[in-house]
Amino acid sequence: MQLSSNLRPWALMAALAVASVPAFAQDTLSRIASSGELRLGHREKSLPFSYKDTASGKVQGYTVDICLQIFEEIKKELKRPDLRVNYLLVDGKNRISDVKDNVVDLECGGTANTAARQKEIAFSHHIFVASSAFLVRKNSNIKTLDDLQGKKIAVQGKTTNENLLRANERTFTRKFNYVLVESTLDAVNALAKGEADAAFADDAGIWIPLTRLGKSMNDYQFLEKRLSVEPYSIGLRKGDPKFKELVDRVTRRMIQNGEMTALYKKWFSSDQGTLPISMFMKEALRRPSDIGVEQIAF
């Protein structure tokens, strides 16, 4: 597979260069056929969903593997085995707008499929269901959210998780001190270095950085209290039913034939164990759905 360079600014310039023509006059499959590439939006350090391996430079992850299955289906649909993938970096601030503005064709990260976001972009079937969780040191004596009063919490900025914390403060008259970081990996590292008293992120996103701590991972634990349940999906542009049907065809097939479960075991296992499949994830694997939900907060 031939890979194009990872230069997001060039893709943005290309999108702006055609601003004089009607927006998205060309459907996604036609654009891919004419350009010869699928533009896959990935995250830098959203482990284990979407990240760039620092050693090999390879873009990989649970969501990336699913998107590559979609890419294979596109090649069959277009009868174009010569198609290539152009990996483009997106982040928490631009990932939705990059889909809307025709910078990327698929947003392959760890993005919650919410009713609010469905007003801006379309989504695949749910590929994962996460719950937001607090990770703390076992010897910290932090057992409840009230114990976090005035404590430093590392959380990725500009995310639904940051919004959840701020909403919890308002609702329960609590006060947290925020350590805003760029990724879940950075949140776990901040906790491990003593720069924060807790890391707050989706439980699955915390899992891989936690296992990388080796035997010392046993020094940490999740608080029982969770603040939300969120389904994750792959983002694509609205108003393109042909491309949406292809994406749904692939994700539905992967859910029904067990490929999605196999990928889960691949990406959420380590020498220290496997992150159990939650009841919410089991339901997503039983009944494929692309519904954008209001954040299910507790």
Side-chain angles (χ1 to χ4, degrees), residues 29 105 141 184 296:
L29 287 174
D105 301 311
N141 293 320
T184 300
I296 305 174

Side-chain angles (χ1 to χ4, degrees), residues 14-298:
L16 294 174
V18 296
S20 59
V21 301
F24 317 138
Q26 192 176 38
D27 67 83
T28 304
L29 287 174
S30 296
R31 191 213 61 76
I32 292 171
S34 61
S35 67
E37 68 176 23
L38 168 72
R39 298 169 304 182
L40 189 156
H42 72 92
R43 302 297 297 274
E44 182 73 17
K45 294 185 287 186
S46 185
L47 290 84
F49 297 97
S50 177
Y51 65 100
K52 190 171 185 177
D53 183 72
T54 53
S56 66
K58 180 181 178 181
V59 175
Q60 55 191 18
Y62 174 81
T63 314
V64 173
D65 276 357
I66 298 170
C67 285
L68 290 177
Q69 288 293 320
I70 295 171
F71 174 62
E72 292 301 319
E73 189 74 9
I74 292 170
K75 291 197 291 186
K76 293 178 184 177
E77 181 82 8
L78 298 178
K79 297 180 175 59
R80 288 286 305 275
D82 61 318
L83 293 179
R84 61 190 179 275
V85 175
N86 184 3
Y87 291 102
L88 299 172
L89 181 65
V90 300
D91 61 29
K93 298 176 184 178
N94 66 40
R95 54 184 166 170
I96 303 300
S97 61
D98 276 358
V99 175
K100 284 179 60 180
D101 297 340
N102 201 24
V103 176
V104 298
D105 301 311
L106 293 173
E107 193 275 308
C108 305
T111 299
N113 180 351
T114 66
R117 285 173 174 164
Q118 285 238 350
K119 295 177 182 178
E120 301 187 77
I121 65 173
F123 285 97
S124 71
H125 291 124
H126 303 154
I127 62 169
F128 191 85
V129 184
S131 61
S132 55
F134 295 91
L135 184 72
V136 299
R137 288 185 177 273
K138 288 180 180 178
N139 64 2
S140 67
N141 293 320
I142 297 173
K143 307 298 181 184
T144 69
L145 267 65
D146 287 332
D147 295 332
L148 286 168
Q149 186 84 257
K151 301 292 187 182
K152 293 183 290 185
I153 302 177
V155 62
Q156 185 177 347
K158 305 295 184 181
T159 62
T160 52
N161 284 321
E162 181 190 355
N163 294 339
L164 275 172
L165 285 177
R166 297 192 184 278
N168 190 272
E169 281 183 308
R170 293 191 297 269
T171 303
F172 297 98
T173 320
R174 294 187 174 110
K175 179 60 180 176
F176 304 130
N177 290 321
Y178 291 83
V179 179
L180 297 179
V181 296
E182 293 296 322
S183 69
T184 300
L185 174 62
D186 293 334
V188 174
N189 285 340
L191 174 62
K193 294 176 182 177
E195 297 168 355
D197 301 296
F200 183 66
D202 299 332
D203 50 1
I206 287 175
W207 175 252
I208 295 298
L210 181 59
T211 61
R212 291 187 172 186
L213 296 178
K215 291 182 179 180
S216 65
M217 70 175 286
N218 294 319
D219 296 336
Y220 301 86
Q221 64 184 7
F222 287 106
L223 296 187
E224 183 178 352
K225 179 68 174 178
R226 304 298 170 97
L227 291 194
S228 75
V229 172
E230 295 178 331
Y232 286 2
S233 297
I234 295 164
L236 56 148
R237 276 179 297 286
K238 290 175 70 73
D240 193 342
K242 188 175 181 181
F243 190 55
K244 174 79 163 75
E245 189 280 326
L246 183 146
V247 170
D248 286 349
R249 184 195 319 157
V250 175
T251 53
R252 183 170 54 250
R253 181 180 68 222
M254 294 182 70
I255 290 169
Q256 293 175 342
N257 69 10
E259 286 183 79
M260 202 79 77
T261 301
L263 278 182
Y264 180 96
K265 292 177 180 178
K266 170 186 174 182
W267 287 104
F268 296 98
S269 295
S270 74
D271 292 340
Q272 285 75 34
T274 299
L275 184 69
I277 296 180
S278 70
M279 59 180 291
F280 306 106
M281 181 63 179
K282 289 178 181 177
E283 182 63 20
L285 293 172
R286 278 195 294 265
R287 296 183 178 88
S289 172
D290 65 352
I291 295 175
V293 300
E294 297 293 345
Q295 195 168 53
I296 305 174
F298 301 101

